[in-house]
Amino acid sequence: MIIKMQISSLKVRKKGIVILLTLIFSSFLFSCTEKKDGTILKIGIAEEPRTLNIWLASDANSRKVLSLMYQNLYVRDPVSLQLIPWLAESMPLFEPETVSYIVKLRPAKWSDGSDLTSDDVLFTINLIKKFKIPRLYSKWKFVKKVEALDSQTIRFYLQKPVAIFVTKSLSVPIVSRSEWADVAKKSLTHEKPLTALLNHKIKFPLGCGPFVLKQRREGAYLYFEKNRFFFGENKKIAGHILGPFVEKIIFKIYSSADVAILALKKGSLDYHWSDIPPGHINGLKESKHIQVFVSKKSALYFMGFNVRHSPFSDAALRKAVSILIDKEFIISRILQGYASDMTSIVPKGNKFWHNPQLPAYGHGLTKQQRIKKAYAILTENGYTWKSPPINEQGETTMPSLIRLPNGEPMQDFTILTPPADYDPHRAASGTIIQEWLKDLGLPAHSRPMSFGALLSQVKQRREFDTFILGYGKLSLDPDYLRSFFHSKNNKKRGWNMSGYHNPDFDVAADASVAAVNIGERQKLIRRMQEMVMTDVPYIPLYNPMRIEAINMNNVSGWIKMVGGIGNLWSICMVKPKQI
Amino acid sequence: MAPENSQNAYQMEGLSRNWALFIRNPIGKTGVILLIIFGLMAVGSFLPPQIDTMYHPMTGVDPLIANSSPPSWKHWLGTDYMGRDLFSQLLTGARIAFIVGITSAFISIVFGTIIGMLAGYGGKILDSVLMRLADMIMVMPTLLVVLLLSSLLGQLNIWAIVLLIALFRWPGVARVIRSQTLSLKERPFIDLAKIAGASHFRIIFRHIAPNVLPMALLFMTFRVTSAIIIEAVLAFLGFGDPSTVSWGMMLQWVWKTGHMFQAPYWLIPPGVCISLITLSFYMIGRAMEEILDPRLRKEGKVD
Amino acid sequence: MNLRRLIIRRSTEIFFIFFVILTILFLLFRLAPGDPVSRMVDPSMTTEEAEHLINQLGLDRPLWSQYLFYVKNFFTGTLGNSFHYGEPVAQIIGQRLPNTILLFTTSIIISCIIGIYFGKIAAWNKGKKLDVWMTIGALVLHTLFLPWAALIIIWIFGYKLGWFPLNGMLTPEIWINPETGIFARFLDVLHHMFLPLFTLCIIHFGSYLLIMRSGMLETLQEDYILTAKAKGLSAIEIRNRHAAPNASLPVVTSVGLSLAFSVNGGALTEIVFSWPGLGRELIFAVSNNDYPLALGSFLFISIVVLVANLIIDILYAYLDPRIKY
């Protein structure tokens, strides 16, 4: 029976192949006749946004997409980087007697045409507090009470003055009561309310931003149209008359940088909202219609030590390591020059908070000089070698294994890094640092491990020697210093990964939160940086630049800002080119 | 002892005759030639770092070149994105491929042979337990399993990868060895040994093992190819051992650093090498197979 | 009767095997380092929030309770919620699966047909130049390193020649336009599918050719072929009508037997071509520590492979009465 079937299929087969080939070729012809539409802005992203549920969205791509819809009360000015009113009409008014802030809203509408009122703001804050939404809850925990004075005015009562209220708390996205009230109510009846809320699927978010999501095909694209009710249209904010001037936006997913760059060159993308590897810059610069933007980032890539136990509990050893690390080499070789040097935890570009008077360990030294200097520090502190790295003639040689001040040989230790596919730069830095440390007889082994495993090793189990990690998007407010080094965060899942403990630092850090006076806070923050850089629980390595490229044929008017041209301002300002 | 000796002599004679047959087979010959080339590459990989530290495949960088550059006299295949020599990386890759392929294949063959012989000789419960286990492992997509495991266990070093591959690659061998053992068990010389009072252990390893060895060897060539491929894929996807320079790693670097369209001199060689080394082992395997027993082809092709 | 016993026995066996896989995987995932919460690197996430989230995700419950919950979820068909997408795993699998099936089955069918066709010719010309070249060609294609071959194919046909899209599954500009007809959409997908399909086909085709060739050579030795020759039937007729259909049986069964292997290849192709399928999703989930999704899709793939094997076994027993179990 089967045999017969196959015989007949033999005949069908040839016809089938012919039909298939015709189809393929006709499809090929078809896609060549794709028509051009100047008003569609085409933006590439590197990965599928994980979710459109704003409370679950913790990945960069979801946030990019959602930033077109959900808006904050305050945003950063593209030039001065100061906070400016966005959904709010003016800067908040502080009343010291009652420790409260008053915020007045702009007249604005949701994308379904209904009014955005203080009730929505109230609802948002209460939702955050009730569900303990990760990342947001801690910013609102200290807010005692929120009340609506009228439909446009809200008053926030704080338990005590907190410096980050304006910079961090007030920059949460506002959601509408109509979209979330039922969901919240239903989730609360659940055994695990937060999970229920996070797992609620939002297909078409209701926002008040410049664009509205119209269509989504998972794994392929997201399609937005202009929001007719956008509050900013034709308004002058931060010296710009806002659009949006394009009618439609498509977000396309390009998981490989090569392909995205090719799409840029061909014009099927106007902008790729993701980092471009430095290796591509020369090729891109050759094309006339491509413009490359290199912008500063607020980021921190660092090597951290576990200071809880020997050997890295010794600050002298940590200093020696920071002298041995050739940051210029890492920047010029591994990052191909597209990064800036870091001497503190707060990036140099963040001028107001950055402390410029800190020791730059080993800056500008040759390899020999580094080894000699580190050798001097270590011998001073009791470290010994059977055959030291500097021989009697004063030349550097390959040393034997280093011995700790107590006479024991140093145990092998690891430098944990993310894997090369996650971040080739950090993995390569780990390997190269390992080699440098061997010059002084330090038995280092670079060990890339999967990102999740690495974090759990460092944050949860806290069994490690050293690691290299980074924050690609460090907030402009330096409150992170407190998270990273305050001893109360030295616990399981806490952000003090090094286990740094310095009572003076804790005092300064606590004072910095309460300092509502900005000059006073600046002094404290700079003092904190000095303490950290003296004890070096972290060695800041580099602050990479953001490399982006656009195709200039279709649209123009991108706004450059810290972190690149992919920002809300650009979305509101790009204009179609007149042909 | 007489039957054993004559048996060995018979085997030796058979081997030399088979070798003559093997080398006359064009496919076998091509395979061997390719393999010799890769062997030379692997041996040669120790040379470049001796000439100059900048030729060290992992840590050596050209002091004057800080990005990917096309082939030149100094760098025969060019350099990668950091200025490391690609030719030296390619040579080291051959070494890693041999290490991974041969050790992992050897381990899986040892497992497979022992389990196969035990199952065939033990029979009954032992047989069915072992064979169900084999079935279970056989239906799992090895690559995905190893991928899952390597991500779960954090980053694996090269030996762990070798071992993992071996652990998932024995069932095919075990099955064939088992069926061979089953037929051997009925042969008179096993009965003779039993009557002579040989222990089970002795019978398995002294009498059965030598007879299943050629088949095990044949399987080894196929296992080498699959081990090399799995390691390369793991490395390509970013789950390899980051402290080794393998061909899969080179491909990952060219892919992830975005040089795919710009640097054909970097994209092409590692892939050609992986494909050719698997081809050479595969060819040798096929040539051996044709000599040993053409009917066994079906068992070998499963992977 | 015998057949039914076989089916029942193999099914229970498969059920058992499946349960073992499920348990081992569950344990592995839970004992592995790294949880989804520790992946969230936002420094503004405090310890308190992280702990709350862990509690809410049910990761602080005792292991056995998580296991029971998992098994329950499995049999109710939801497979739990993905940590990342926040959606039921079954739903995500359901979304990605059609894409995978489309690519995967088409490639298997096409490569089978081509493999059988050329394998037949090679066997018929055994020992001649044509056969030697075909065998060598098949060997070379069979051992090509898949991800690399995919990259090279993209490089040549997508980049250098520019005939086909470089990756993805559709052109957004065509799909957002409500006026685009079904046929145009179909063509668009076909156009995107060509390169991944081509890659999979050239990899699979080689091994099918080799199997067909040896199957055919064996069949040509059989008595009934000799009888047919004696009867004076034409060579072409013998080849196509008598030998080929029987010889292609091993090819079809080998599709089932090597399914696990092909799944690997499918996942790799999806990764390189950014084809939004299940294999790609699985590999993403693995690197994101999204246990429910990784576990769910892996279990799903194992079920498919197990069931396919069962079907092959039954087919074999049905078609070839000589086989005893």
Side-chain angles (χ1 to χ4, degrees), chain A residues 329-543:
Chain A
F329 181 93
I330 293 179
I331 290 169
S332 68
R333 279 314 172 101
I334 298 174
L335 288 122
Q336 317 211 340
Y338 291 98
S340 51
D341 177 34
M342 286 194 103
T343 51
S344 172
I345 303 297
V346 178
K348 273 182 188 160
N350 202 346
K351 285 204 183 75
F352 186 78
W353 302 113
H354 173 77
N355 184 344
Q357 289 150 330
L358 293 175
Y361 296 103
H363 184 83
L365 300 185
T366 65
K367 191 171 173 183
Q368 262 73 18
Q369 287 168 324
R370 281 173 201 282
I371 295 175
K372 278 181 190 161
K373 202 166 164 190
Y375 174 67
I377 291 182
L378 289 178
T379 35
E380 227 168 78
N381 285 278
Y383 291 84
T384 51
W385 291 261
K386 250 189 196 145
S387 73
I390 309 287
N391 62 16
E392 278 140 28
Q393 288 82 43
E395 289 160 351
T396 54
T397 60
M398 209 56 212
S400 63
L401 186 64
I402 192 169
R403 283 168 185 279
L404 300 178
N406 64 11
E408 298 276 324
M410 190 189 277
Q411 300 289 318
D412 284 11
F413 67 91
T414 50
I415 306 171
L416 303 177
T417 70
D421 69 316
Y422 181 83
D423 180 354
H425 302 147
R426 270 178 271 175
S429 304
T431 320
I432 237 69
I433 290 174
Q434 160 198 315
E435 296 302 312
W436 287 331
L437 297 189
K438 280 185 181 155
D439 289 339
L440 224 70
L442 294 163
H445 298 276
S446 169
R447 181 160 179 245
M449 62 196 311
S450 84
F451 197 63
L454 168 55
L455 280 178
S456 99
Q457 199 78 9
V458 172
K459 281 180 71 185
Q460 223 172 310
R461 301 191 182 183
R462 302 188 289 163
E463 289 162 11
F464 63 94
D465 304 300
T466 66
F467 62 94
I468 299 180
L469 274 180
Y471 299 102
K473 219 177 164 189
L474 215 50
S475 76
L476 291 172
D477 186 284
D479 195 45
Y480 48 81
L481 269 176
R482 193 168 58 103
S483 318
F484 293 163
F485 302 111
H486 197 293
S487 62
K488 79 166 193 234
N489 287 335
N490 175 14
K491 57 185 172 188
K492 208 175 155 188
R493 294 187 211 284
W495 275 109
N496 187 345
M497 298 186 281
S498 274
Y500 180 65
H501 181 89
N502 180 349
D504 293 343
F505 181 90
D506 292 352
V507 172
D510 290 334
S512 80
V513 197
V516 185
N517 178 319
I518 196 156
E520 195 188 325
R521 188 164 177 230
Q522 184 191 34
K523 240 187 234 158
L524 285 164
I525 295 283
R526 290 194 170 176
R527 170 102 188 81
M528 283 153 73
Q529 293 173 54
E530 193 188 317
M531 283 188 255
V532 170
M533 288 319 292
T534 317
D535 293 337
V536 279
Y538 283 7
I539 304 176
L541 295 175
Y542 56 85
N543 176 8

Side-chain angles (χ1 to χ4, degrees), chain A residues 1-3 6-7 10-11 13-14 17 20-21 23-24 26-28 30-31 34-35 40 42 47-51 56 58 63 130-139 141 168 191-196 198-201 215-221 223 248 250-256 258-259 262-263 265-266 268 422 450-453 455-457 459-461 470-471 473-474 480 483-484 488-489 491-495, chain C residues 31-35 37-58 60-61 81-88 91 95-96 99 110 113-114 116-117 120 154 158-159 162-164 166-177 179-180 183-188 190-191 194 197 240-242 244-246 248-249 252 271-272 274 276 280-281 284-285 287-290 293 315 318-319:
Chain A
M1 201 177 69
I2 292 271
I3 295 172
Q6 280 180 347
I7 294 168
L10 266 172
K11 286 174 192 160
R13 214 180 277 162
K14 272 180 198 157
I17 292 171
L20 198 78
L21 285 178
L23 278 180
I24 287 161
S26 53
S27 73
F28 165 55
F30 175 81
S31 59
E34 197 178 289
K35 62 176 176 188
I40 301 185
K42 287 161 284 187
E47 239 180 78
E48 173 89 29
R50 289 277 167 199
T51 175
L56 180 66
S58 62
R63 288 191 194 171
K130 191 168 273 168
F131 285 91
K132 297 196 181 170
I133 307 247
R135 294 181 307 276
L136 300 177
Y137 175 61
S138 59
K139 295 174 186 167
K141 217 169 68 173
K168 305 203 88 174
E191 185 196 352
K192 303 280 186 193
L194 178 61
T195 312
L198 296 184
N199 287 349
H200 177 76
K201 185 171 182 174
Q215 229 191 75
R216 175 184 192 193
R217 202 160 281 276
E218 269 155 71
Y221 65 86
Y223 171 55
K248 302 157 184 171
I250 306 180
F251 278 87
K252 302 181 183 181
I253 295 147
Y254 283 96
S255 31
S256 125
D258 300 77
V259 177
L262 218 60
K265 284 187 186 165
K266 280 186 177 172
S268 36
Y422 181 83
S450 84
F451 197 63
L455 280 178
S456 99
Q457 199 78 9
K459 281 180 71 185
Q460 223 172 310
R461 301 191 182 183
Y471 299 102
K473 219 177 164 189
L474 215 50
Y480 48 81
S483 318
F484 293 163
K488 79 166 193 234
N489 287 335
K491 57 185 172 188
K492 208 175 155 188
R493 294 187 211 284
W495 275 109
Chain C
L31 300 179
D35 63 53
V37 176
S38 60
R39 276 188 68 85
M40 298 179 182
V41 274
D42 196 326
S44 54
M45 169 109 108
T46 60
T47 324
E48 188 191 351
E49 289 169 338
E51 237 113 67
H52 183 60
L53 190 59
I54 293 263
N55 166 281
Q56 291 287 307
L57 288 171
D60 57 350
R61 283 187 299 191
N81 274 303
S82 153
F83 289 151
H84 270 273
Y85 295 104
E87 290 171 34
Q91 205 174 312
Q95 272 167 4
R96 307 290 190 261
N99 301 340
I110 294 182
I113 292 174
I114 303 177
I116 287 174
Y117 185 74
K120 187 174 71 184
I154 297 178
Y159 177 64
W163 289 352
F164 295 98
L166 300 161
N167 66 8
M169 196 178 163
L170 41 87
T171 315
E173 283 88 341
I174 293 177
W175 283 67
I176 57 163
N177 186 353
E179 287 156 30
T180 319
F183 185 63
R185 284 171 197 229
F186 170 71
L187 283 184
D188 184 48
L190 207 63
H191 190 206
F194 188 84
L197 199 63
N240 290 348
R241 292 215 159 199
H242 296 265
N246 280 325
S248 37
L249 211 61
V252 178
I271 284 272
V272 179
S274 304
R280 179 164 177 258
E281 206 55 58
F284 276 170
S287 40
N288 284 329
N289 290 67
D290 189 347
L293 184 55
L315 260 180
Y318 178 70
L319 292 173

Side-chain angles (χ1 to χ4, degrees), chain B residues 4-209:
Chain B
E4 209 174 275
N5 279 340
S6 67
Q7 191 192 324
N8 282 346
Y10 168 76
Q11 276 174 357
M12 284 314 295
E13 191 194 328
L15 268 181
S16 64
R17 196 181 49 222
N18 282 347
W19 172 250
L21 269 175
F22 176 83
I23 207 69
R24 231 179 291 147
N25 182 324
I27 287 181
K29 204 172 11 183
T30 323
V32 169
I33 292 171
L34 277 174
L35 203 62
I36 290 173
I37 296 175
F38 283 114
L40 289 177
M41 277 177 72
V43 174
S45 71
F46 292 98
L47 265 178
Q50 304 299 322
I51 296 168
D52 192 321
T53 47
M54 81 173 178
Y55 290 123
H56 190 287
M58 192 73 187
T59 53
V61 291
D62 189 298
L64 304 173
I65 301 169
N67 47 26
S68 180
S69 65
S72 61
W73 279 115
K74 210 156 134 206
H75 302 285
W76 293 353
L77 287 177
T79 59
D80 76 356
Y81 69 106
M82 283 170 68
R84 298 184 294 194
D85 186 63
L86 286 174
F87 184 64
S88 158
Q89 290 186 354
L90 200 72
L91 293 182
T92 314
R95 193 167 79 214
I96 299 295
F98 272 111
I99 291 175
V100 169
I102 290 174
T103 41
S104 154
F106 182 74
I107 297 170
S108 69
I109 291 303
V110 169
F111 276 152
T113 312
I114 292 178
I115 291 174
M117 288 191 305
L118 283 178
Y121 186 79
K124 294 199 184 113
I125 298 173
L126 189 63
D127 184 24
S128 66
V129 167
L130 288 176
M131 283 304 106
R132 288 299 82 79
L133 187 67
D135 282 349
M136 192 173 95
I137 294 179
M138 204 134 149
V139 295
M140 299 220 251
T142 316
L143 174 68
L144 294 185
V145 178
V146 177
L147 204 70
L148 277 180
L149 290 177
S150 72
S151 129
L152 283 176
L153 305 174
Q155 204 79 37
L156 298 175
N157 69 32
I158 197 82
W159 297 111
I161 293 174
V162 163
L163 197 67
L164 266 184
I165 297 174
L167 278 180
F168 283 94
R169 297 269 75 186
W170 58 264
V173 195
R175 274 190 161 184
V176 176
I177 297 296
R178 170 180 166 268
S179 64
Q180 277 222 320
T181 312
L182 280 179
S183 72
L184 279 170
K185 215 165 80 172
E186 309 301 324
R187 295 270 191 86
F189 71 92
I190 299 288
D191 286 334
L192 276 179
K194 269 188 193 160
I195 293 163
S199 65
H200 292 311
F201 184 83
R202 190 179 161 81
I203 291 175
I204 290 181
F205 289 97
R206 198 84 187 100
H207 298 276
I208 296 180

Side-chain angles (χ1 to χ4, degrees), chain A residues 260-279:
Chain A
I261 284 156
L262 218 60
L264 263 176
K265 284 187 186 165
K266 280 186 177 172
S268 36
L269 270 188
D270 294 315
Y271 164 55
H272 188 50
W273 195 342
S274 184
D275 284 309
I276 285 175

Side-chain angles (χ1 to χ4, degrees), chain C residues 285-302:
Chain C
V286 165
S287 40
N288 284 329
N289 290 67
D290 189 347
Y291 314 142
L293 184 55
L295 244 170
S297 31
F298 188 81
L299 284 177
F300 182 82
I301 292 175
S302 337

